[in-house]
Amino acid sequence: ALRDLPGLDEPFLVINGDVLTAVDPAALMAAHRASGAQLTVTTQVRETTIGAGVLELDGEAVTGYAEKPVLRHVVSLGVYCLQPQTLDLLPPGRVDIPALVTALIAAGRPVRRYAYGGPWFDIGTREDHERATTELAEHPERYLPGPAS
């Protein structure tokens, strides 16, 4: 759909439709502009606990053992800033932002991250939607502009 939008001649935001977040768009855009990036990905650090011991192997020999390790990952939050010229790398047909990020990296164009530590909810499942709805009801000031009513 980005290919069909007229007037994209300056940096712009793209936000996944199934996300609730309080990321400050002005701060994100300022960071994007200052970075010189073609595309900026908003990120958070997430942890995944493996519920079992993880072995390191060399063939059949056990060379290491980590009991229930915690893995840290930097994940995309589905909130992006893009330069208009990034759109020239969009292939025809439906394409997701991760494919554009990959194409930019392959073309040697700078992609940066914007680290965000605030609230973020993926509302792609019923349970996630219910958590986000509760959050929005309890803290509308985080997500809605203007005075709380």
Side-chain angles (χ1 to χ4, degrees), residues 11-128:
F12 59 94
L13 294 172
V14 173
I15 302 173
N16 290 1
D18 62 350
V19 167
L20 175 66
T21 184
V23 67
D24 179 346
L28 170 57
M29 185 61 73
H32 171 73
R33 289 178 188 268
S35 76
Q38 292 284 296
L39 188 146
T40 299
V41 181
T42 304
T43 65
Q44 277 186 345
V45 174
R46 296 291 168 91
E47 293 184 347
T48 303
T49 301
I50 305 298
V54 175
L55 300 177
E56 294 177 29
L57 302 173
D58 181 5
E60 297 301 313
V62 176
T63 60
Y65 193 109
E67 181 60 25
K68 298 181 179 144
V70 176
L71 306 177
R72 293 174 50 88
H73 310 278
V74 177
V75 300
S76 170
L77 299 182
V79 181
Y80 311 92
C81 284
L82 291 84
Q83 293 297 114
Q85 60 268 34
T86 61
L87 300 180
D88 65 353
L89 289 180
L90 284 175
R94 183 183 183 283
V95 65
D96 292 326
I97 295 291
L100 179 57
V101 170
T102 301
L104 286 165
I105 293 167
R109 296 191 191 178
V111 176
R112 301 287 184 258
R113 78 174 186 133
Y114 177 76
Y116 172 68
W120 177 88
F121 297 86
D122 180 342
I123 55 176
T125 67
R126 170 180 237 137
E127 295 79 21
D128 293 336

Side-chain angles (χ1 to χ4, degrees), residues 18-21 120-144:
D18 62 350
V19 167
L20 175 66
T21 184
W120 177 88
F121 297 86
D122 180 342
I123 55 176
T125 67
R126 170 180 237 137
E127 295 79 21
D128 293 336
H129 185 272
E130 289 170 356
R131 280 194 292 277
T133 300
T134 300
E135 168 72 10
L136 184 57
E138 291 176 357
H139 301 286
E141 73 284 357
R142 291 180 183 162
Y143 307 96
L144 303 173

